[in-house]
Amino acid sequence: MKYQLVNVMEERVMRAINDTLPQLGCCTCDRCKADVAAYTLSRVTPNYILVNENEAPPVSDPSEKEDDSEILQIIVQAADIISANPNHN
Ligand SMILES: [Zn+2]
């Protein structure tokens, strides 16, 4: 039996970045998205779960409203920094 460690914050952060980055006036190329993701994921508290390879991954309950305000605050900071000093070509 094989288990995989999955940081559920990663999916939430990526989703939040895709939703909010265009509104923040930040470049949305893959490089800038990845930079914002790296900055954000380094600062939010990770939330790891074990996923059994043979089972379908757990689906988050949509009725349970997630609080993304902490994530969004950090994404705003990241977008500021990345926009001021982008690493893309
Ligand atoms: Zn870019």
Side-chain angles (χ1 to χ4, degrees):
M1 216 177 267
K2 277 215 155 177
Y3 292 94
Q4 219 189 336
L5 274 169
V6 174
N7 181 4
V8 294
M9 294 305 277
E10 211 172 296
E11 198 203 312
R12 277 175 63 186
V13 165
M14 290 315 294
R15 209 187 316 142
I17 286 173
N18 285 323
D19 286 352
T20 56
L21 213 54
Q23 301 161 36
L24 295 172
C26 182
C27 172
T28 54
C29 77
D30 286 348
R31 179 62 210 262
C32 291
K33 270 191 202 172
D35 280 334
V36 171
Y39 181 98
T40 307
L41 282 166
S42 301
R43 282 159 183 82
V44 294
T45 309
N47 185 10
Y48 280 95
I49 55 167
L50 274 178
V51 176
N52 185 337
E53 254 186 14
N54 302 318
E55 286 171 16
V59 184
S60 52
D61 183 353
S63 66
E64 189 186 305
K65 189 76 187 124
E66 289 167 332
D67 180 16
D68 282 344
S69 55
E70 187 202 359
I71 294 176
L72 292 175
Q73 265 182 5
I74 301 169
I75 290 175
V76 170
Q77 283 171 29
D80 264 5
I81 293 165
I82 308 301
S83 302
N85 204 356
N87 291 310
H88 57 213
N89 295 313

